[in-house]
Each structure stands twice: as C-alpha cells, then as structure tokens.
Amino acid sequence: MSEDEMYKLLASDGMMVKRPLLVADDAVLTGFKEADWKAVL
C-alpha cells in the first residue's frame, strides 16, 4: 500500500485513528496536548 493510499484510507474512516501520533525528528508525541505540539512543531 502506498503512502497516498494509506492516507486516503485513514481519511475515509475517522474511527481508524484512535489517538493522534506525531513523529518528528527529535520527538514522538501520542495524544494531543496543544502546548506539547506547538513546542515540537
């Protein structure tokens, strides 16, 4: 499955994504805390 196909599949069914996940060069965040995401991005 290509990356585009994966994105389309995830976008088609919101129940497939249980928890936001951010993978950055120097951090991995699970869940969503706005302050944490702003600090990483």
Side-chain angles (χ1 to χ4, degrees):
M1 182 179 280
S2 73
E3 195 169 298
D4 266 353
E5 290 170 325
M6 287 186 270
Y7 289 140
K8 286 178 185 174
L9 180 59
L10 287 171
S12 72
D13 183 359
M15 294 300 292
M16 292 183 73
V17 179
K18 300 262 185 201
R19 175 180 298 208
L21 177 67
L22 174 67
V23 179
D25 291 335
D26 58 347
V28 175
L29 301 177
T30 59
F32 181 75
K33 292 182 182 171
E34 187 174 357
D36 293 346
W37 280 56
K38 282 184 178 181
V40 171
L41 296 176

